[in-house]
Amino acid sequence: MPTDTLPALTTAYPVTDEEVTAYRADGFVRLAQVATREEAAAYRTPVAAAVERFSTETRPLAERDSYGMAFLQVMNLWRHDPDVARFVLAARFAGVAARLLGVPRVRLYHDQALFKEPGGGYTPWHQDAMYWPLDGSRCLTMWMPLVDITPTHGGLAFAAGSHVDGPLSDIGISDASEEHFDRLLAERGTPVDEPVAMQAGDASFHSGWTVHRALGNSSEAMREVMTVIWFADGQAVLEPANGAQANDLATWLPGLAPGDLAASECNPLLGDVDGD
């Protein structure tokens, strides 16, 4: 389906006050049919084709570490495929992000296709913002399956309220981060919201500091998920706190330095939606 016939995704999604409150209290919220099943199906084809085209992972699952077994990960597809760009830059999705963050507009950080293969391993507990040279409390990720999934496909679990304390570890996604957060969440008595079944086009949104993980894929089908990360417009680039953040600064905020306005050519301003 060529770009000009793909769904526009410009109409607003009605996020309620209760959903905003839940997001800010828990650090995540699940929303039904942010894209309709038909819209999700239309974009599934170009996203899956782009993943196949740009994925560099060729090793059998048995030869990968836990991170490698977790998913086929392809980033920044919007820069390489105009059909995927139409999805990633959609005003509807950015409008939801802006509403949850309580800001007029957001900027794109990057996109990320996360396809978990049948037999793929679990994704260990982690905080996304550990990788970002930005204020993680003013960033969020949309996680949208493009196919119907059950928890057995590799659904997301969230540690409710874990975002309020900011960074809780500088450990990258690994068995070590899983052990660290297993221990920390148990010590704190943090409630875990377990994975749920989701239809294609449903989406969860979680804060940059929300601790989360995904189950392994014990089904016989690929878990096809597209994610988009945004940050509140107007914030400054932070001094990288670790090597991962230094790498992200060079990759997703090219040409910028700590203290600069986070607004490189790779971070378009988004969020205007039609009211109908």
Side-chain angles (χ1 to χ4, degrees):
M1 184 179 292
T3 300
D4 58 358
T5 60
L6 285 166
L9 302 174
T10 55
T11 54
Y13 180 89
V15 182
T16 67
D17 290 345
E18 291 75 17
E19 289 165 339
V20 172
T21 298
Y23 170 80
R24 295 179 185 174
D26 297 333
F28 73 95
V29 68
R30 294 187 180 93
L31 303 176
Q33 295 296 275
V34 178
T36 66
R37 295 184 74 176
E38 293 74 21
E39 290 168 338
Y43 280 99
R44 177 191 179 192
T45 298
V47 170
V51 169
E52 183 173 0
R53 190 160 70 251
F54 294 109
S55 176
T56 59
E57 181 58 81
T58 59
R59 297 170 297 170
L61 281 168
E63 295 179 11
R64 306 180 206 169
D65 62 12
S66 293
Y67 186 81
M69 289 181 66
F71 37 60
L72 297 176
Q73 177 178 240
V74 188
M75 304 183 189
N76 228 27
L77 287 174
W78 79 278
R79 301 281 280 184
H80 304 290
D81 187 290
D83 292 346
V84 180
R86 189 175 174 94
F87 179 94
V88 172
L89 302 178
R92 182 190 302 164
F93 302 154
V96 174
R99 172 96 163 98
L100 294 174
L101 289 173
V103 298
R105 305 286 293 279
V106 293
R107 287 186 180 274
L108 177 68
Y109 190 47
H110 66 82
D111 66 59
Q112 199 170 24
L114 298 175
F115 279 34
K116 192 181 288 284
E117 301 150 282
Y122 79 110
T123 307
W125 287 118
H126 64 282
Q127 293 175 296
D128 293 342
M130 192 281 292
Y131 291 88
W132 305 339
L134 296 166
D135 179 355
S137 66
R138 303 183 68 206
C139 310
L140 83 175
T141 299
M142 178 182 79
W143 192 92
M144 179 182 287
L146 303 177
V147 294
D148 294 350
I149 65 168
T150 67
T152 61
H153 289 86
L156 281 192
F158 300 99
S162 58
H163 63 303
V164 299
D165 292 325
L168 296 171
S169 169
D170 61 358
I171 305 171
I173 304 174
S174 61
D175 292 336
S177 71
E178 176 78 2
E179 294 170 6
H180 169 81
F181 283 113
D182 262 344
R183 181 174 61 254
L184 184 67
L185 298 178
E187 289 172 352
R188 294 183 168 205
T190 303
V192 173
D193 193 281
E194 298 292 351
V196 300
M198 300 174 72
Q199 292 185 344
D202 292 348
S204 61
F205 290 77
H206 63 269
S207 174
W209 291 123
T210 302
V211 179
H212 60 288
R213 74 189 298 268
L215 301 179
N217 185 355
S218 58
S219 79
E220 297 181 355
M222 181 79 80
R223 187 206 70 182
E224 301 177 33
V225 165
M226 189 64 184
T227 71
V228 184
I229 305 162
W230 303 269
F231 58 88
D233 181 39
Q235 65 176 293
V237 177
L238 301 182
E239 184 72 38
N242 54 50
Q245 290 186 11
N247 180 71
D248 259 33
L249 173 56
T251 304
W252 312 121
L253 301 162
L256 301 183
D260 288 345
L261 182 69
S264 80
E265 65 176 3
C266 294
N267 313 117
L269 191 61
L270 304 168
D272 286 339
V273 294
D274 300 335
D276 53 81

